[in-house]
Amino acid sequence: GLAPAESVRLLRSALAVSGGPFRADPELLVELATVEFQAGDVAVSLERCGQAADAAARVGSALLQAEAALVVRGNGDSGTAAVLLELCDRALAAGPVPAPVRARLLAQRAEAEGSCGQVDRARELAVEALVLATSSGDVPAILAAVHSTVDLLDAAAPPAEQ
């Protein structure tokens, strides 16, 4: 495959040809946000996720709104977490999505809540994500839910137990 920087360059060219982020296809914006994240440009990727969510809302796609909320992962920064909370809330309110996608959104939201210091709410969401993911049988959703649960347990454990 292409190196992330080359993928970013090509997708940004496609975005420019399509008329920019306010006219672009939400799938293109999600893909660009993904390669920007993979290239290590978290701030730009996060902004692109917002653009993708806006575009998905314009076309009425709850699933693409969810995909936009799930691009940026594993970042404990509270500023990033606040944006992820907003993206997750928008996606969860946009309409029904398949159970594994909802479970991944709940797990993402749990991690973001934990990063913002809302540990009790984060635990509730992590448990809900784990139950939903397990019942769906979807391995990526189960892994996302387990990951968010383990992160919260690690954060809550006294230093000697970590």
Side-chain angles (χ1 to χ4, degrees), residues 59-134:
V59 300
S61 175
L63 186 58
L64 284 171
Q65 279 190 274
E67 288 182 21
L70 294 168
V71 170
V72 175
R73 301 171 310 280
N75 191 304
D77 170 79
S78 63
T80 299
V83 175
L84 291 175
L85 285 173
E86 180 187 339
L87 289 169
C88 287
D89 286 347
R90 287 179 62 188
L92 288 164
V97 293
V101 175
R102 182 172 175 79
R104 288 177 55 220
L105 282 169
L106 293 172
Q108 175 85 311
R109 197 170 197 307
E111 286 190 53
E113 288 278 10
S115 294
C116 291
Q118 302 298 317
V119 179
D120 290 340
R121 178 66 181 134
R123 281 193 196 114
E124 292 171 13
L125 288 165
V127 168
E128 187 180 348
L130 191 55
V131 168
L132 185 58
T134 303

Side-chain angles (χ1 to χ4, degrees), residues 5-159:
E6 183 64 10
S7 295
V8 168
R9 188 187 68 73
L10 290 172
L11 286 168
R12 284 181 179 163
S13 294
L15 179 61
V17 168
S18 73
F22 302 105
R23 297 186 56 197
D25 179 84
E27 290 180 59
L28 171 63
L29 292 166
V30 168
E31 185 62 29
L32 180 52
T34 301
V35 297
E36 287 168 336
F37 178 73
Q38 291 167 345
D41 204 342
V42 176
V44 170
S45 175
L46 205 54
E47 183 178 335
R48 192 80 63 204
C49 290
Q51 294 170 354
D54 291 344
R58 281 194 298 273
V59 300
S61 175
L63 186 58
L64 284 171
Q65 279 190 274
E67 288 182 21
L70 294 168
V71 170
V72 175
R73 301 171 310 280
N75 191 304
D77 170 79
S78 63
T80 299
V83 175
L84 291 175
L85 285 173
E86 180 187 339
L87 289 169
C88 287
D89 286 347
R90 287 179 62 188
L92 288 164
V97 293
V101 175
R102 182 172 175 79
R104 288 177 55 220
L105 282 169
L106 293 172
Q108 175 85 311
R109 197 170 197 307
E111 286 190 53
E113 288 278 10
S115 294
C116 291
Q118 302 298 317
V119 179
D120 290 340
R121 178 66 181 134
R123 281 193 196 114
E124 292 171 13
L125 288 165
V127 168
E128 187 180 348
L130 191 55
V131 168
L132 185 58
T134 303
S135 69
S136 77
D138 183 81
V139 173
I142 292 168
L143 291 174
V146 167
H147 180 77
S148 69
T149 304
V150 169
D151 283 353
L152 288 166
L153 291 174
D154 282 349

